Amino acid sequence: MPESSRTTKKKIRWSKLYTFSCFRPPNADPVPIKSLIGGPGFSRVVFCNKPHLHRMKPHKYPSNYVSTTKYNVVTFLPRSLFEQFRRVANLYFLLAAVLSLTSLAPFTPPSLIIPLVFVVGISMLKEAVEDWHRFLQDLEVNSRVVKTHIGDGVFVEKLWQQVSVGNVVKVQKDQYFPCDLLLLSSSYEDGVCYVETMNLDGETNLKAKRCVEATLSLNEDDAVSKFEATIYCEDPNPNLYSFVGNLEFQNESHPLCPAQVLLRDSKLRNTEYIYGVVIFSGPDTKAVRNSMKSPSKRSRIERKMDSVIYVLFSMLVLISLVTSITSALLVSSRMTSWWYLRLQDDNPFFSPSKPVFSAIMQFIRALVLYGYLIPISLYVSIEVVKVLQAVLINKDIHMFDEATCQSVRARTSNLNEELGQVSIILSDKTGTLTCNQMEFRKCSIAGVSYGGDLNEVDLAASCRMNSDMVACRSSADESDATSQSIEICEFHADDIGTEMSYIGAPEYLGSPNIKNPRMSDVHRECSIKGFNFRDDRLMDGRWTHNSNVYDITMFFRVMALCHTGIPIEDDRADKLKFEAESPEEVAFLITSQEFGFQFCKRTQSVMVLKELDPDLGSVVEREYKLLNLLEFSSSRKRMSVIVSTEDGQIFLLCKGADSIIFERLADNGRSYQEATSLHLSCYAEDGFRTLAFAYRTVERAEYEHWNLIFTKAKTTVGPERDELLENASEMIEKDLILLGVAAVEDKLQKGVPECIDKLAQAGLKIWLLTGDKRETAINIGFVSSFQAVKKALVSQIKSFSQEINEEHNKHMPFALVVDGQALEIALRCDVKDQFLRLAVECASVICCRVSPKQKALITRLVKEFTGKTTLAIGDGANDVGMIQEADIGVGISGTEGMQAVMASDFSLPQFRFLERLLIVHGHWCYKRISKMILYFIYKNIVFGLTLFYYEFYTSFSGQVLYDDWYMTAFNVLLTSLPVIFLGVLEQDVPSDVCHQFPALYQQGQRGICFSWKRIIGWILNGAVASLIIFLSTIHALSSVAFSGKGDVADIAHLGTITYSCIIWTVNCQIALIISHFTWIQHLFIWGSILLWYIFLLAYGTLPPSYSNTGFHMLTEAIGGAPSFWIITLLVVVASLLPYFVYMVLQRTFYPLDDHVIQEMKHCKKDIFDKLMWLREQRNSKRTTQVGFSARVDAKTHHLKEAIQQRKASICKSFTNSPIYRTLRSNPLFQ
């Protein structure tokens, strides 16, 4: 752009262009504000440009350092130890380790203390590493730099964490604000700057901020050196939309409002630089106040695992009581007659005179002896498995985004299995579901719809109708030969335009001469940001040949002039870029440029266009004098500009919501209203945002009369100013002539519709929590008192609930749309249960204009009310609260900073990867962890109960059946690796099947794989297996000689053989429950069995002083005895038989979904019987009310109804025609 244009841009006084209150400094009486200052909640004092005064009390405030870590150097040890020992099993083993230091324990202290230290140490190390990564990300944010005033007009770059309250900083374009600032001045002459608050409230449109008049002169470095002032304001609070304070400057008091405050984590846009003074820093900033400390999250399975440990501990206490009581009874009754025992009263375990004391001692000893019922290695094994699962998630190539070169990251591994149990997703919209890019897609001009590019819903509906029709025809052919005359209509995706034109789809009825508008291949190939329009009738200047060329010209002229944008240079020749308050305006300016109306220059009172003149056929430059600008607001829902052309004509150009524009049309301006309304409904079906365009010609005398009224209203000081301005605008914004509507799309990220559809198929509900302005929401009517509003809200909730109950049997989908004000009341204690009950019944819930604190509150209440697993996903700092509050927090690593990612448990580059993260990895991790825990319970019960059974043969004396090293090696060496890789590599079905059958995910939602039914079943399975192993072994060895020499088995032989049977049984059991074998599983399962014999051989070679009873056990005692191998084989088969029978019965008569799919995959039905495979896919799909499939269903239903109506109309027209009557009267046709 020429240099003159660039300097002109800086000189524009935007306050003269705007007329309503957002740009007006507060002119109300400052007395009410003064009355607040100094009172409770309004005690903060800031000395501007004197940060040294804030280094001592009473005005010492926190530094600007912000942390999202769980721990620091001081709190790590106590907090992490608390995290570890709130686990019941760890607490038990801590007690056992303490007891091992006494003579009560049957084991030596190292055998209990070392495993406990190892388990707890590994878990603490994992927590430390994860928190270290959070610290590094915090360090990255705190190490950003900003220019800070150090005196004498000198600004130096300081780290964010070094900035303190009172500092004056200079923030430049596209930089984030390091803390909450009071705006002093900007690069614009009247102190206006534009701020993007995406990270705070999720809104993409720019906010206009303006400094107080008194500080306008502080727009240079030197001017700041003499600046001294004092700010009296409110104390730190989380409210983003309010600020109360006074600026004492040059012996005058200036009231402050939110329009002068720049919040941390918002970004400076469209402004070269600003000067600001720090008001709130670090933890006092509103952004941080809206966030929460990183909570310690535990998955549902882990919390339930504590209950399982309680059950196992109860079993432990029970059998310990049995042991102690029986031992006391035997000591006091029978053992006294066993003279060879020589019982002494000084023996605490066997004192005939003190049986109660002996029972207590035996009880404590039994608690330690049977401790193998409590799987100490379970927790550390789960920690290892979860870390390896996280590595696999991070390395999944299918979740790598090539556009950003980023992949999914599991920032904590504690919640892997929780991914498989999610029931409700709470999502932000802007930046999470959308790309923050508005695209111009379609338009309706003079009653003709343009932009024939089909969306995915149209194509899917076309394909579905084609297949449905073919199926109908096949059925008819098979059932009745006479039905071959039935007319069949088939749709094909390559000719859907013609078919839609046939049934009367409004998009294709605009021009009677064009049934299927051709799409330009040239324009398909090029991609212009903000412009995604396809229609040859308008492109490349062809609109100049249209019969409605004047209306089209005025339509594009409104698009090019009715805005607040600014042109800037672009790399493309003859093309400009644009910046504006809203992304819709940017899209419209790009669109008008593509159609030949380039907005190229703006001054204080002139707007310049380069227009394609239809008469001349060339581009001409025209100037329009900007007389007035009536800005857009949420209450007005429209925007107007009044311009004067070069020949003196005055036009009012208006754009706004269609309902607002339609009611302001003149009688002669409604020519296209009916056709335009049809097009609007079609655009709404496609999910587009629409704005109506209109204009009117204003006579000079009428304008001058109105301008006097408007000027008087604009200069009014007082509360009635806004009302007078609104009345004045109503006087001129009337008798409009409708030109048409424009449809823009808030572009969804790639794959979002398909992802939401799959998630809906998987049974997940999605709530949308957005800070965006409400477009369509319930109208509560907040014009009365609080009690009246509350009463109205409760009444609406009751009526909606009744309506849902009445329509429940009809499967009618309901959506609840509520705004932030309604939520303030709805989430109060006496109303929230009714509100949440209503919300849970709805198919989808949209919460608009919610603050970050409200997002977190909604998340917590939904989690507590439903009792189901919640997942929150967002991309900005405004989403941190809900991300931390949800059971699982997911951050989008987009372009809006890293705050959401730093607070999250998982990070994604794009929303679409959530599908694979949940439906594939979540499903796998849930089933892996569930199987792993159940197997751990099983193998420890099998091993631990044999110790108890042996007590029946030793008069409950506390004798240990196994060698100490056998017991140590059981969990650490011989059974650890197979179960770890079960938890890492197990797959019930492949990943592609998870996508094809998303209903499999509901197993996790219903908790099928880790239900109490399964837990008790595996406990019983372990108890039965251990009983079979012990009884079979002891009876097989006790009745006959063990070796050919006639030797009988002693305790060492019995223990070793029983232990061998246990090792075989538990390793073969894990082979039975694995669905997906790899060479790794085979290696560790069969390798663990082989390792036992290697261990036994190596242990037996040690001297007897080390190997004790294991000396040459395998080589000289049991290895050469055939009975050892026969007993092992028969016992293993017998112990596994109950589980095998159970699985045969279940898969035969009560198969689960994954069982059926596994058998189909095993029989290769997906290859050789695709019809069966597709039928099962179709049958497994649940009917959804949201998502892509639901939209396709609705579109298909609509098109079929239209076809039937069209056929009936054609048939009726034909039967009423003279030709038909003539034919009917002809004898030849009778």
Side-chain angles (χ1 to χ4, degrees), residues 145 167 179 313 333 341 398 520 585 608 659 706 810 856 870 891:
V145 295
N167 275 132
C179 30
F313 188 75
S333 60
L341 293 180
H398 297 290
S520 172
E585 288 192 344
V608 180
S659 59
W706 173 83
K810 301 178 182 178
T870 58

Side-chain angles (χ1 to χ4, degrees), residues 732-939:
I732 197 73
E733 291 175 326
K734 63 179 183 179
D735 298 332
L736 303 177
I737 298 174
L738 180 65
L739 292 169
V741 295
V744 294
E745 181 181 20
D746 191 357
K747 187 68 175 177
L748 288 175
Q749 292 180 10
K750 179 183 177 182
V752 166
E754 295 82 0
C755 175
I756 292 176
D757 189 54
K758 286 291 184 184
L759 295 176
Q761 295 287 345
L764 287 92
K765 284 190 175 183
I766 300 180
W767 289 37
L768 188 66
L769 309 182
T770 177
D772 277 1
K773 295 177 181 178
R774 182 179 61 183
E775 295 294 335
T776 305
I778 58 174
N779 184 10
I780 301 299
F782 290 90
V783 293
S784 54
S785 66
F786 169 79
Q787 291 298 329
V789 173
K790 177 181 171 183
K791 185 177 180 181
L793 181 64
V794 172
S795 175
Q796 281 195 343
I797 290 174
K798 289 181 178 178
S799 64
F800 291 157
S801 298
Q802 183 178 356
E803 186 177 353
I804 288 176
N805 292 331
E806 291 174 355
E807 296 287 347
H808 188 69
N809 295 330
K810 301 178 182 178
H811 303 287
M812 181 71 69
F814 285 87
L816 177 64
V817 186
V818 60
D819 66 4
Q821 289 178 305
L823 282 172
E824 283 288 337
I825 301 171
L827 297 180
R828 294 178 183 267
C829 293
D830 52 344
V831 184
K832 67 179 182 182
D833 286 346
Q834 299 178 54
F835 170 74
L836 291 171
R837 195 174 297 110
L838 169 66
V840 169
E841 289 294 326
C842 293
S844 58
V845 180
I846 301 174
C847 300
C848 312
R849 297 293 288 171
V850 289
S851 67
K853 209 75 171 180
Q854 284 179 321
K855 288 185 176 184
L857 178 60
I858 293 168
T859 304
R860 182 170 72 249
L861 291 177
V862 169
K863 179 174 65 174
E864 293 173 353
F865 180 80
T866 63
K868 297 178 179 178
T869 303
T870 58
L871 180 148
I873 180 170
D875 73 317
N878 62 317
D879 304 314
V880 168
M882 74 170 183
I883 285 174
Q884 293 180 337
E885 189 62 56
D887 294 305
I888 305 172
V890 179
I892 301 291
S893 53
T895 59
E896 302 306 325
M898 295 292 291
Q899 289 84 354
V901 170
M902 288 191 296
S904 67
D905 305 303
F906 298 87
S907 66
L908 309 176
Q910 293 280 315
F911 182 89
R912 71 178 186 272
F913 297 120
L914 186 63
E915 176 191 341
R916 184 173 179 86
L917 182 66
L918 295 185
I919 293 179
V920 177
H921 289 284
H923 175 71
W924 282 348
C925 289
Y926 168 72
K927 300 207 75 170
R928 288 165 176 169
I929 296 294
S930 298
K931 283 187 176 182
M932 180 182 176
I933 296 173
L934 294 173
Y935 173 74
F936 246 106
I937 295 170
Y938 165 82
K939 76 182 182 69

Side-chain angles (χ1 to χ4, degrees), residues 73 121 131 252 273 386 486 543 548 665 667 734 844 866 898 906 953 1037 1047 1062 1080 1127 1145 1211:
V73 176
D131 213 51
E252 292 185 7
Y273 61 86
K386 288 184 176 181
I486 296 176
W543 61 268
N548 295 316
L665 296 178
D667 292 338
K734 63 179 183 179
S844 58
T866 63
M898 295 292 291
F906 298 87
Y953 290 84
L1037 294 175
D1047 298 330
I1062 291 173
I1080 297 176
I1127 289 172
L1145 292 176
C1211 184

Side-chain angles (χ1 to χ4, degrees), residues 266-282:
S266 52
K267 183 190 288 187
L268 183 66
R269 299 293 300 273
N270 291 9
T271 311
E272 296 300 325
Y273 61 86
I274 62 98
Y275 291 95
V277 61
V278 179
I279 307 174
F280 301 118
S281 61

Side-chain angles (χ1 to χ4, degrees), residues 425-473:
I425 296 175
L426 300 105
S427 174
D428 178 44
K429 181 184 73 70
T430 307
T432 302
L433 299 178
T434 65
C435 301
N436 305 335
Q437 298 175 8
M438 287 293 179
E439 286 188 340
F440 182 82
R441 292 297 306 274
K442 294 183 180 183
C443 62
S444 171
I445 309 175
V448 180
S449 180
Y450 298 95
D453 199 19
L454 299 175
N455 57 33
E456 293 86 351
V457 175
D458 295 328
L459 295 176
S462 168
C463 294
R464 181 177 296 183
M465 289 184 68
N466 184 41
S467 61
D468 287 348
M469 292 296 184
V470 171
C472 175
R473 178 172 57 188

Side-chain angles (χ1 to χ4, degrees), residues 205-428:
N205 58 305
L206 304 183
K207 308 291 191 305
K209 303 284 185 176
R210 180 182 171 178
C211 66
V212 296
E213 296 281 348
T215 60
L216 276 174
S217 59
L218 303 174
N219 58 356
E220 294 181 356
D221 292 359
D222 293 337
V224 176
S225 62
K226 301 177 182 179
F227 170 64
E228 291 185 6
T230 305
I231 300 172
Y232 301 92
C233 65
E234 62 185 20
D235 292 337
N237 62 77
N239 198 326
L240 298 174
Y241 306 109
S242 70
F243 181 81
V244 176
N246 275 347
L247 174 68
E248 302 290 340
F249 180 50
Q250 295 178 347
N251 299 322
E252 292 185 7
S253 180
H254 305 275
L256 302 176
C257 69
Q260 283 99 42
V261 178
L262 309 174
L263 301 181
R264 179 188 173 105
D265 290 330
S266 52
K267 183 190 288 187
L268 183 66
R269 299 293 300 273
N270 291 9
T271 311
E272 296 300 325
Y273 61 86
I274 62 98
Y275 291 95
V277 61
V278 179
I279 307 174
F280 301 118
S281 61
D284 287 346
T285 58
K286 292 181 181 289
V288 176
R289 289 264 167 170
N290 271 281
S291 65
M292 301 181 299
K293 278 289 181 183
S294 299
S296 297
K297 297 181 180 180
R298 301 179 72 205
S299 68
R300 286 172 176 268
I301 286 185
E302 188 174 349
R303 294 195 296 269
K304 194 170 186 178
M305 196 165 64
D306 286 346
S307 300
V308 175
I309 298 297
Y310 288 135
V311 172
L312 295 178
F313 188 75
S314 300
M315 289 180 58
L316 172 62
V317 171
L318 178 62
I319 62 176
S320 297
L321 283 172
V322 171
T323 300
S324 62
I325 293 172
T326 308
S327 175
L329 292 174
L330 290 174
V331 166
S332 61
S333 60
R334 299 175 59 186
M335 284 189 181
T336 54
S337 61
W338 298 346
W339 58 269
Y340 51 86
L341 293 180
R342 298 180 182 181
L343 298 179
Q344 303 292 329
D345 286 339
D346 59 350
N347 187 336
F349 297 100
F350 304 101
S351 176
S353 61
K354 300 177 182 178
V356 176
F357 180 73
S358 295
I360 295 173
M361 292 296 100
Q362 284 287 9
F363 176 74
I364 296 174
R365 181 183 178 88
L367 283 178
V368 181
L369 175 63
Y370 304 140
Y372 277 85
L373 288 176
I374 312 296
I376 185 174
S377 60
L378 172 60
Y379 283 109
V380 69
S381 298
I382 287 180
E383 298 286 356
V384 172
V385 163
K386 288 184 176 181
V387 169
L388 294 176
Q389 287 177 348
V391 171
L392 292 180
I393 291 173
N394 295 341
K395 298 295 184 181
D396 189 344
I397 193 65
H398 297 290
M399 294 194 292
F400 178 78
D401 184 32
E402 295 182 357
T404 59
C405 293
Q406 292 179 333
S407 62
V408 172
R409 290 289 169 192
R411 302 187 70 252
T412 177
S413 58
N414 290 342
L415 304 171
N416 295 347
E417 70 274 21
E418 198 82 337
L419 292 170
Q421 296 180 278
V422 177
S423 296
I424 299 175
I425 296 175
L426 300 105
S427 174
D428 178 44

